[in-house]
Amino acid sequence: MATQYSFAGTNAREIAASVERSVADGRLGPGTALPPVRRLAEDLGVSPGTVATAYKELRQRGIVVTRGRGGTVVAHVPAVGSRRPPRVPEGVVDLAGGHPDPALLPVLSPPSEVSPVQGSHRGSPRLPALEELSRAWFARDGVPDGSVTFSHGTLDCVSRLLSTELKPGDSVAVEDPGFHHLLDLVPALGLRMLPVTVDDEGMRPQELGRTLRAGARAVLCSPRGQSPRGGRFTAGRRAELLAVLEGFPDVLVVEDDHNSDISGVPLHSLTTGGLPRWAHVRTASKQLSVDLRWAAMACDPTTLARHDGRLLLTSGWVSHILQETAARLLADPSARVLIAGAERVYTERRTALVAALARHGIAAHAESGLNVWVPVRDESAVVNGLRTHGWWVAAGQRFRIGSPPAVRITSAALPEADAVRLAADFARVLGESEATYGG
């Protein structure tokens, strides 16, 4: 037995199970390095190939990741156990979660009565009224609405799409920096991530082309409100990306438009460019309710058939109670007024924080959405420093693969007066960290 790590096993399956147990019960935390293959093989009295096979299985299941010369380490959010987001310390303002302002969300109105049904809803999984509202929602922004379906949120939808389209070991082009839950999901499905650097206009075309030539079979991107950087596709960037994708007709392109009506910018969607394989997903959590686990997807007919075929075999359908609730909100004129007002407020708060930081010489990125991305030299120093001033922000590490360090600040519930105070504290912390760690 390997005493330092308490791993055991005489074959790859047993060794992988031993590592998994250590991760699940917390003995191995995120980022913990596993022993080199040859060392663990010697400790256990097995061949290096046996340990390498065990590590490969753990990678494919999203429990560990390999960082080249950095070795194999436990994933940031390993796909095992019941881990939860880090607890926000008491007495600080939470600007780390990426959540909307509750004061700008409509009140949910579930149906007061739900009549029993005969059998199940598998034969009619989508409420016609909500399907028509969803088609209108997409058509308003020019997204083709010929094939529309529902899921239990964006991550549920993307997971199903990738599971039906790709096999373990296939590659997916992802944004860097990108939405941390998607960056956790892809390796958990046994898929390889190929990072594509993003700027204020979204994915960079040259880098997307590089990943496609390297074998990416799917592309995950955000046309606006990109998390964490806030980028959005312009008309010019959309045209450049479509020109790159033209040479790869078999690649599935998935757009995550999670901010949609509250992003603060118009949509320039790749789906309007005649792509053979595509999906455009919109969730309700940011503009209707974080607890309304419903999303609508417009896509090509093949993608629809594959997605709904897998849905039919698993959960079967999205709860009609949820669908009825979503339909009521989408059709409610007062809710639409509230959403339009929320978009204005989010834009004002986002731009106010960027301007306040700029007055202290601090550059930030936030073209759309609910967050502000601030490049820094030392993430830990800034996060810990701001905590001492009463602010809780997110370290950029959880959003990055190879892009430079930064912190993400959720500006959604940050009034302008508080943005001014936060910017002053941010400048103070930067000065303190430079004095401590060098300029």
Side-chain angles (χ1 to χ4, degrees):
M1 176 179 291
T3 55
Q4 181 180 357
Y5 295 91
S6 299
F7 299 154
T10 58
N11 56 49
R13 180 183 57 80
E14 292 176 350
I15 296 169
S18 177
V19 175
E20 181 178 350
R21 285 193 298 270
S22 295
V23 174
D25 64 20
R27 282 179 290 159
L28 289 180
T32 302
L34 270 62
V37 168
R38 291 189 178 278
R39 182 192 305 168
L40 184 57
E42 291 177 2
D43 290 345
L44 296 177
V46 299
S47 72
T50 298
V51 174
T53 300
Y55 281 13
K56 180 180 179 180
E57 179 182 337
L58 292 166
R59 282 197 302 273
Q60 290 180 338
R61 295 179 47 225
I63 297 173
V64 303
V65 295
T66 298
R67 295 177 175 171
R69 293 184 178 179
T72 299
V73 302
V74 178
H76 178 69
V77 182
V80 62
S82 56
R83 300 184 184 276
R84 296 291 184 267
R87 180 173 298 179
V88 179
E90 293 184 7
V92 299
V93 179
D94 182 10
L95 302 176
H99 305 304
D101 185 345
L104 300 177
L105 295 173
V107 176
L108 294 184
S109 299
S112 57
E113 295 183 357
V114 180
S115 300
V117 298
Q118 180 69 34
S120 75
H121 288 300
R122 276 186 166 84
S124 54
R126 296 186 291 277
L127 291 180
L130 183 56
E131 188 168 349
E132 287 306 307
L133 287 165
S134 299
R135 292 183 192 278
W137 192 16
F138 291 125
R140 188 183 65 212
D141 289 322
V143 177
D145 63 336
S147 300
V148 171
T149 190
F150 304 150
S151 68
H152 299 91
T154 298
L155 292 169
D156 172 67
C157 182
V158 172
S159 175
R160 195 171 294 112
L161 291 175
L162 295 180
S163 296
T164 57
E165 294 287 338
L166 282 66
K167 63 181 184 301
D170 284 345
S171 299
V172 180
V174 298
E175 297 170 326
D176 183 19
F179 183 39
H180 60 294
H181 289 310
L182 281 177
L183 299 186
D184 294 332
L185 174 64
V186 172
L189 295 174
L191 305 172
R192 294 176 55 238
M193 293 191 295
L194 297 180
V196 180
T197 302
V198 297
D199 56 25
D200 290 342
E201 296 183 54
M203 280 187 163
R204 292 179 174 173
Q206 284 188 328
E207 293 208 18
L208 176 60
R210 172 183 53 79
T211 63
L212 292 173
R213 290 189 296 274
R217 294 194 54 207
V219 177
L220 303 181
C221 60
S222 301
R224 55 184 173 178
Q226 194 269 349
S227 180
R229 189 183 167 106
R232 83 283 186 244
F233 290 166
T234 59
R237 177 59 58 85
R238 170 188 171 276
E240 292 176 308
L241 292 172
L242 285 173
V244 172
L245 289 164
E246 186 177 2
F248 301 89
D250 295 330
V251 170
L252 174 65
V253 178
V254 181
E255 284 188 342
D256 173 12
D257 193 21
H258 62 281
N259 279 163
S260 58
D261 296 347
I262 56 171
S263 64
V265 295
L267 176 68
H268 295 285
S269 174
L270 298 174
T271 67
T272 61
L275 295 172
R277 301 298 315 284
W278 61 274
H280 181 95
V281 188
R282 290 185 176 181
T283 182
S285 61
K286 300 298 185 183
Q287 61 191 47
L288 296 180
S289 171
V290 295
D291 199 36
L292 188 60
R293 309 310 297 166
W294 170 81
M297 178 178 73
C299 56
D300 67 89
T302 298
T303 299
L304 177 76
R306 293 178 179 178
H307 173 277
D308 282 8
R310 180 63 61 86
L311 179 67
L312 182 69
L313 294 173
T314 53
S315 58
W317 68 92
V318 175
S319 162
H320 278 209
I321 299 173
L322 281 179
Q323 292 191 45
E324 179 69 28
T325 304
R328 291 185 181 200
L329 285 172
L330 289 177
D332 184 356
S334 63
R336 291 198 296 270
V337 170
L338 183 60
I339 291 170
E343 182 178 39
R344 290 192 296 272
V345 172
Y346 290 142
T347 300
E348 291 168 358
R349 290 175 176 173
R350 186 179 68 248
T351 55
L353 178 56
V354 172
L357 290 168
R359 287 194 288 272
H360 291 275
I362 303 170
H365 302 277
E367 295 293 322
S368 59
L370 307 182
N371 302 296
V372 175
W373 185 247
V374 189
V376 297
R377 193 182 62 81
D378 189 311
E379 293 177 0
S380 296
V382 171
V383 170
N384 292 328
L386 287 175
R387 177 180 177 179
T388 65
H389 290 278
W391 309 102
W392 185 247
V393 303
Q397 181 180 9
R398 61 194 301 202
F399 307 96
R400 301 187 293 107
I401 301 174
S403 54
V407 296
R408 192 190 75 169
I409 305 173
T410 300
S411 57
L414 185 70
E416 184 172 355
D418 288 346
V420 172
R421 184 165 60 88
L422 170 60
D425 289 338
F426 204 117
R428 213 169 282 120
V429 167
L430 288 182
E432 294 167 355
S433 65
E434 288 183 1
T436 302
Y437 300 104

